[in-house]
């Protein structure tokens, strides 16, 4: 048994949304391998915050059950957050169904979510020890689905400005080139965390110290240690760190170098085309590489994941990468 679901980018590839059916109601959710709560805009969300979102109505689901007294509260790296109550329902993603899945109903959402009208909630794909439900932590959709999957994996094939896909339970070898390169995962902090062994800017030599990183489909950019960020932008003559833009920008006419991350024997290339992330409207462009804020590990978000086919292997606690 498996599932295949389309992942559609919002404008500027800011996030990727996938249709999820909950108790017979379909909402587009942001699949997030950096968190472990499945939460939705619902009839419990204040009407002023519902705006033009698609909402889930548990009263209309014949399979919804309230988890009385259970609550959740989550905050994300970008400062956004949400909180609410909890129930269970039947959740289907691309033909794969999980019964009695914890579904978290938002009773409060931060402004970033209110204004992002295409996003009707998140489906967490990190490890269940990150789930925020109290008094009893809940399992993710992927953890619950694991036992019914042919292979205990999901894969991510995100693309620039075009639909990609998530597959659950199988590896579609037509979606990548060559062989998969596996790296062990440390899931003790609940993330898909692994070691990067070095980096190279453009066609320069691979160097630098090894560093820890997480594979995070719910983060837009490629967030790296400040030393690597400085080294990278030293290769772009007009680059500057702009407070008003919120990070490094450069003239849109510039030739933007590739970045290669050495992961074991695998050289993961992120092409310069993906590292010229978006236009600021004033002739400058915003970089796909930005600072990780010194939090001790790099965040390999969608900018990185667009350039790789990635296998999130729950059974063997490992990640697999291949070029596309
Ligand atoms: C405001 O939108 C979001 C905030 C945080 C996450 C999770 N990294 C996903 C989002 O779509």
């Amino acid at each position: 048994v498996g599932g295949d679901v389309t992942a559609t980018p919002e404008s500027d590839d800011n996030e990727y949304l996938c249709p999820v059916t909950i108790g017979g109601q379909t909402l587009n959710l942001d699949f997030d391998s950096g968190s472990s709560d499945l939460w939705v805009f619902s009839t419990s969300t204040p009407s002023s915050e519902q705006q033009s979102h698609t909402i889930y109505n548990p009263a209309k689901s014949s399979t919804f059950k309230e988890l009385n007294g259970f609550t959740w509260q989550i905050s994300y790296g970008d400062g956004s957050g949400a909180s609410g109550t909890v129930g269970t329902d039947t959740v289907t993603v691309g033909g794969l169904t999980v019964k009695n899945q914890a579904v978290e109903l938002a009773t409060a959402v931060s402004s970033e979510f209110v204004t992002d009208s295409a996003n009707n909630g998140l489906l967490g794909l990190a490890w269940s020890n990150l789930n925020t439900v109290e008094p009893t932590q809940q399992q993710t959709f992927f953890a619950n689905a694991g036992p019914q999957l042919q292979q205990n994996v999901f894969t991510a094939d995100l693309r620039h400005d075009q639909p990609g896909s998530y597959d659950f339970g199988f590896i579609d070898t037509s979606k990548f080139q060559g062989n998969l390169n596996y790296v062990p995962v440390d899931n003790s902090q609940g993330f898909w965390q692994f070691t990067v062994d070095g980096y190279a800017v453009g066609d320069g030599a691979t160097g630098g110290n090894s560093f820890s990183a997480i594979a995070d489909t719910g983060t837009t950019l490629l967030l790296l240690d400040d030393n690597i960020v400085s080294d990278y932008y030293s290769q772009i003559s007009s680059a500057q760190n702009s407070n008003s833009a919120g990070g490094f920008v450069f003239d849109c006419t510039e030739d933007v170098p590739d970045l290669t991350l050495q992961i074991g024997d695998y050289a993961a290339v992120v092409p310069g085309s993906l590292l010229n992330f978006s236009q600021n409207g004033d002739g400058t462009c915003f970089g796909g590489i930005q600072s990780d804020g010194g939090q001790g590990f790099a965040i390999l978000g969608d900018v990185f994941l667009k350039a790789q086919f990635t296998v999130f292997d729950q059974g063997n606690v490992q990640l697999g990468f291949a070029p596309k």
Side-chain angles (χ1 to χ4, degrees):
V1 171
D4 165 68
V5 67
T6 299
T8 304
E10 277 198 330
S11 60
D12 281 344
D13 299 349
N14 264 321
E15 60 191 44
Y16 292 78
L17 297 167
C18 306
V20 176
T21 301
I22 305 171
Q25 303 169 44
T26 300
L27 291 82
N28 292 328
L29 305 184
D30 179 3
F31 284 22
D32 180 13
S33 65
S35 68
S36 304
D37 287 49
L38 194 175
W39 69 263
V40 292
F41 276 76
S42 75
T43 44
S44 306
T45 310
S47 50
S48 63
E49 296 179 1
Q50 287 181 23
Q51 301 207 357
S52 50
H53 287 268
T54 305
I55 61 168
Y56 166 68
N57 183 350
K60 292 230 170 96
S61 167
S62 60
T63 41
F64 176 80
K65 293 187 196 118
E66 172 90 40
L67 286 175
N68 291 304
F70 283 39
T71 59
W72 60 284
Q73 174 162 17
I74 198 161
S75 52
Y76 298 105
D78 67 349
S80 64
S83 60
T85 60
V86 192
T88 62
D89 208 337
T90 300
V91 176
T92 298
V93 174
L96 171 65
T97 294
V98 169
K99 293 185 177 173
N100 304 311
Q101 170 64 41
V103 176
E104 302 170 32
L105 313 178
T107 57
V109 296
S110 66
S111 60
E112 296 87 349
F113 288 109
V114 174
T115 53
D116 183 359
S117 58
N119 176 328
N120 302 305
L122 264 64
L123 189 143
L125 292 168
W127 299 82
S128 298
N129 55 332
L130 273 183
N131 177 265
T132 73
V133 173
E134 293 184 348
T136 312
Q137 193 169 56
Q138 302 297 303
Q139 297 287 304
T140 67
F141 171 81
F142 183 37
N144 284 326
Q148 67 176 295
L149 299 178
Q150 174 85 24
Q151 287 179 267
N152 194 353
V153 302
F154 78 86
T155 68
D157 176 16
L158 302 180
R159 303 192 184 168
H160 168 60
D161 201 24
Q162 58 179 293
S165 61
Y166 290 97
D167 293 336
F168 290 85
F170 64 96
I171 295 171
D172 181 344
T173 56
S174 74
K175 292 184 175 177
F176 60 89
Q177 309 285 334
N179 297 315
L180 284 162
N181 303 270
Y182 285 97
V183 64
V185 160
D186 168 5
N187 61 4
S188 59
Q189 291 187 74
F191 296 117
W192 292 90
Q193 191 162 354
F194 63 103
T195 299
V196 177
D197 297 301
Y199 74 95
V201 178
D203 51 16
T206 300
N209 304 316
S210 67
F211 58 89
S212 193
I214 67 168
D216 184 358
T217 60
T219 289
T220 308
L221 302 177
L222 173 47
L223 307 180
L224 298 170
D225 177 87
D226 287 332
N227 295 310
I228 301 176
V229 174
S230 299
D231 187 7
Y232 178 79
Y233 286 113
S234 72
Q235 308 298 311
I236 303 178
S237 53
S238 62
Q240 52 177 328
N241 194 353
S242 158
N243 287 332
S244 57
F248 282 86
V249 302
F250 43 81
D251 293 350
C252 292
T253 55
E254 291 257 27
D255 187 20
V256 177
D258 299 348
L259 179 87
T260 299
L261 295 182
Q262 191 67 37
I263 303 171
D265 294 336
Y266 179 56
V269 179
V270 185
S273 58
L274 291 178
L275 297 176
N276 181 337
F277 180 72
S278 61
Q279 301 187 12
N280 296 318
D282 60 358
T284 68
C285 279
F286 194 75
I289 290 172
Q290 299 294 341
S291 171
D292 65 9
Q295 61 186 325
F297 53 81
I299 301 183
L300 307 192
D302 301 332
V303 162
F304 174 82
L305 296 169
K306 276 179 260 184
Q308 320 299 326
F309 178 85
T310 306
V311 179
F312 294 76
D313 187 334
Q314 184 171 243
N316 299 302
V317 194
Q318 62 181 8
L319 281 165
F321 298 107
K324 299 197 270 203

